[in-house]
Amino acid sequence: MTGHQAAEPDLGVLAARILFSVQRELFAELAEQGFDDIRPRAGAVLAYLRADGIRASELARASGQHKQVIGSLIDDLERLGYVERRPDPADRRAKHAWPISNTRSSTTARTPRRSQGDWASTEAG
C-alpha cells in the first residue's frame, strides 16, 4: 500500500448521492407522466405545499430556502398552473400559495417504487 489511500466517502456524501438518485428518478417518472415542466428546484415548494395554503415565509422556513427564492419558485409554478396566490384568510395583506386542481395536476402521479436491492446498486451520476 502507498501512503495515499483513497478515502471512503463520508456519510454526507453518501446521503447526497441517495438524495440525487431519488430526485432524478422521481422527476424522470413525473416527466413520463406528463409533468415534464416541473424541475427539481420546485421541490422546495411542492414538498411543503398544503391543501389549505401556506405563506411563502413558512415555505422558506420549512425548506431552508431564502424567501426570495421561494417567491421566484411560486411565480414559476403559478405560471405553469400548479399553484395560485390567494389572500391569507387570517390576514388579507398576506398571500398564501394554494395548489391548483386541474386535469393535468390532479392526475394521481405514481411514485416510483424500488426494492431494497435496487437502492444498494444506486450510484451518483
Side-chain angles (χ1 to χ4, degrees):
M1 267 194 210
T2 67
H4 302 317
Q5 282 184 309
E8 295 279 329
D10 69 9
L11 183 58
V13 171
L14 294 172
R17 286 181 181 173
I18 292 170
L19 171 66
F20 294 140
S21 177
V22 169
Q23 189 178 58
R24 273 193 309 274
E25 186 173 338
L26 173 64
F27 285 93
E29 182 74 21
L30 286 170
E32 286 177 21
Q33 294 183 27
F35 300 96
D36 57 346
D37 51 357
I38 299 177
R39 299 289 174 245
R41 61 184 241 129
V45 170
L46 296 175
Y48 302 99
L49 199 60
R50 298 189 314 233
D52 61 342
I54 185 169
R55 285 184 177 193
S57 58
E58 292 176 76
L59 286 169
R61 203 171 13 263
S63 68
Q65 299 288 325
H66 290 283
K67 190 175 174 186
Q68 293 82 357
V69 171
I70 294 299
S72 174
L73 293 172
I74 292 171
D75 290 343
D76 293 345
L77 290 168
E78 194 170 29
R79 268 191 303 280
L80 294 170
Y82 293 105
V83 300
E84 66 180 334
R85 285 185 174 98
R86 294 188 211 158
D88 181 334
D91 180 357
R92 293 237 176 249
R93 296 169 298 169
K95 299 275 186 183
H96 273 195
W98 296 74
I100 292 177
S101 178
N102 61 35
T103 55
R104 190 172 73 136
S105 65
S106 65
T107 304
T108 303
R110 185 175 44 84
T111 303
R113 304 282 187 237
R114 300 190 83 175
S115 69
Q116 194 171 18
D118 289 339
W119 290 116
S121 64
T122 300
E123 292 186 44

